[in-house]
Amino acid sequence: MEFTCIRNYTAAPGVGAVQINRPAALNALNLQTMTEIVEAFAACDADSDIRCILLHGNEKAFAAGADVKEMSGAGAVEMLERDQFARWERIRQTKKPVIAAVSGFALGGGCELAMLCDMIVASETAQFGQPEINIGVMPGAGGTQRLTRAVGKALAMELVLTGRMLSAREALRAGLVNRVVPVETYLYEAAALAREVASKAPVAARLAKESVLKSFGTSLESGLEFERKNFYMLFATDDQKEGMSAFVEKRKPKWTGK
Ligand code: CAA
């Protein structure tokens, strides 16, 4: 069986790079590819040498959506039983920070996959969109919810109802991506950001990620409580002692992830 997702754990220190690799289909996300991405992410989560995950496609496509050819003949019950979007949900449960490097198309399930990542570095050629309306359906892997939270109702409604694509610059203005960089260097820039995140105290990074994500599904009061408990919990780690001692002693901290 040919792999449609390539793992490279030596791209940068502490970074697990995962590449979606179906170039002939513009990286359309079929069941096999999504399964392999989920497996790669789980392996990264379990590997203490990896502290940040970098997900990317190629220059032309991050991913042009869920695989339309795989879905086109399916009935509702078959779709329900297949439960393909459970794989996107598994990605959401990744403990370590995830950075998406997006160039070219990030459409439908591809845009939804990028939005599941914690930060997005876009190349100048990146195009984001939820074009499902053009093929008689609607987003099914979180697009109506995450896009709306990221860019607001007006723009989300427009993108979902017209299928229009958003350029990288528009995506930056709308708050969907962290930065836009030249296509020649987008992977390097994304890897540099991943390396920076990987250099931080791992338990603090994990709990900080959890706390930010918590804000999307809870009241302010519960979110603040969740944050405070995570903050206090970090005082049970060696890295908190090391980080604060290093600050006082004016030296660089050495993280152990304990
Ligand atoms: N599924 C399956 N195959 C796809 C695909 C997809 N989502 N997107 C592209 N491909 C395939 C094409 O069928 C084509 O294959 P063949 O050479 O075998 O014909 C190949 O990739 C290249 O695509 P195009 O020739 O169409 O390339 P283009 O440059 O002319 O157009 C595009 C690029 C505008 C992205 C166009 O391919 C397109 O509109 N793709 C579909 C986008 C889409 O509708 N995505 C949403 C899918 S549904 C979804 O994702 C649901 C969800 O919420 C999870």
Side-chain angles (χ1 to χ4, degrees):
M1 188 178 73
E2 203 180 321
F3 288 104
T4 58
C5 159
I6 302 170
R7 304 182 200 181
N8 175 7
Y9 298 160
T10 54
V15 177
V18 177
Q19 180 177 13
I20 308 163
N21 186 42
R22 289 188 74 205
L26 295 179
N27 285 344
L29 301 164
N30 62 10
L31 292 172
Q32 183 195 336
T33 307
M34 283 308 297
T35 302
E36 288 175 20
I37 296 174
V38 166
E39 284 168 1
F41 274 43
C44 287
D45 250 355
D47 184 337
S48 59
D49 289 337
I50 292 176
R51 295 180 171 184
C52 185
I53 301 170
L54 175 66
L55 179 65
H56 64 99
N58 54 52
E59 277 185 19
K60 210 169 161 206
F62 175 74
D67 192 314
V68 177
K69 292 168 189 167
E70 197 178 54
M71 285 184 294
S72 61
V77 174
E78 196 180 337
M79 287 299 284
L80 201 66
E81 282 171 356
R82 223 185 249 181
D83 200 12
Q84 67 191 65
F85 298 140
R87 291 164 179 80
W88 274 256
E89 186 57 23
R90 292 271 302 279
I91 305 279
R92 185 180 73 84
Q93 290 161 359
T94 307
K95 306 278 181 244
K96 292 177 182 170
V98 183
I99 291 170
V102 174
S103 185
F105 299 113
L107 303 176
C111 185
E112 290 164 309
L113 182 59
M115 288 191 292
L116 272 182
C117 300
D118 302 311
M119 288 187 261
I120 302 176
V121 174
S123 90
E124 281 163 344
T125 65
Q127 287 183 286
F128 297 85
Q130 299 290 160
E132 291 89 344
I133 196 82
N134 295 331
I135 53 170
V137 288
M138 58 175 276
T144 62
Q145 305 303 300
R146 288 200 181 88
L147 187 64
T148 309
R149 281 166 168 77
V151 306
K153 177 191 162 191
L155 186 55
M157 209 51 112
E158 181 186 332
L159 296 181
V160 168
L161 292 180
T162 68
R164 174 169 89 79
M165 292 187 214
L166 209 57
S167 71
R169 293 271 159 216
E170 279 181 289
L172 183 66
R173 275 198 301 277
L176 184 61
V177 308
N178 291 78
R179 57 190 71 163
V180 177
V181 295
V183 65
E184 296 79 20
T185 56
Y186 86 101
L187 255 187
Y188 174 83
E189 300 264 2
L193 181 60
R195 210 163 51 231
E196 187 186 349
V197 173
S199 73
K200 308 297 179 190
V203 185
R206 173 179 167 169
L207 296 188
K209 166 176 169 158
E210 258 180 44
S211 300
V212 173
L213 290 179
K214 191 78 178 171
S215 72
F216 290 101
T218 193
S219 67
L220 179 62
E221 198 177 330
S222 318
L224 290 172
E225 196 177 322
F226 186 81
E227 177 195 75
R228 203 174 311 126
K229 283 190 178 145
N230 276 346
F231 180 77
Y232 293 151
M233 189 149 83
L234 288 171
F235 284 72
T237 64
D238 294 344
D239 282 346
Q240 174 268 325
K241 301 285 172 288
E242 167 65 7
M244 293 194 178
S245 304
F247 174 80
V248 173
E249 292 158 19
K250 298 185 189 301
R251 61 175 174 82
K252 265 188 90 167
K254 285 202 190 86
W255 309 124
T256 57
K258 300 289 174 203

